[in-house]
Amino acid sequence: MLVFERMTHKPITIGPDTPVAEALQLIREKQVRRLPVLDKKNKLIGMVTEKELLYASPSPVTSLSMHEITYLLSKLTVDEVMTLSLIHISEPTR
């Protein structure tokens, strides 16, 4: 069995400037565990997981108001929490 046979051929992707809250919502809506992060030239530059996004989100027991939380989350983008060192492969040429 080859990786090519098991991999997702058209994954859902996001850009590095995507807000953390938006990425987390996308993960939940599409029921995926991770999102590849692509630059403007569609080059893979990172990966973000649901776990990384949750760690970046405020705790439910925070003393911040909802307005403060919303503001802070709108400023936090995926490029600040994504994994940069990736091991990846390309599709085989046939």
Side-chain angles (χ1 to χ4, degrees):
M1 179 178 292
L2 300 173
V3 173
F4 177 78
E5 297 168 353
R6 300 279 304 157
M7 68 186 227
T8 303
H9 292 275
K10 295 189 185 246
I12 300 163
T13 62
I14 56 175
D17 56 345
T18 303
V20 164
E22 186 179 319
L24 189 55
Q25 180 181 356
L26 185 60
I27 279 180
R28 290 178 175 163
E29 284 176 5
K30 301 297 183 180
Q31 297 180 346
V32 295
R33 293 188 186 135
R34 64 195 60 81
L35 295 169
V37 182
L38 306 180
D39 66 10
K40 293 186 189 302
K41 296 178 182 178
N42 284 332
K43 180 182 174 202
L44 181 65
I45 59 170
M47 183 77 67
V48 67
T49 65
E50 181 178 25
K51 188 175 183 179
E52 290 167 330
L53 295 171
L54 289 172
Y55 280 147
S57 300
S59 165
V61 294
T62 184
S63 62
L64 297 174
S65 73
M66 283 305 296
H67 296 291
E68 291 170 315
I69 291 171
T70 303
Y71 174 77
L72 290 173
L73 279 180
S74 71
K75 298 296 179 193
L76 185 62
T77 55
V78 168
D79 64 336
E80 297 177 65
V81 298
M82 69 183 183
T83 299
L84 298 173
S85 58
L86 302 175
I87 299 171
H88 65 284
I89 61 170
S90 300
E91 289 187 42
T93 55
R94 295 183 182 197

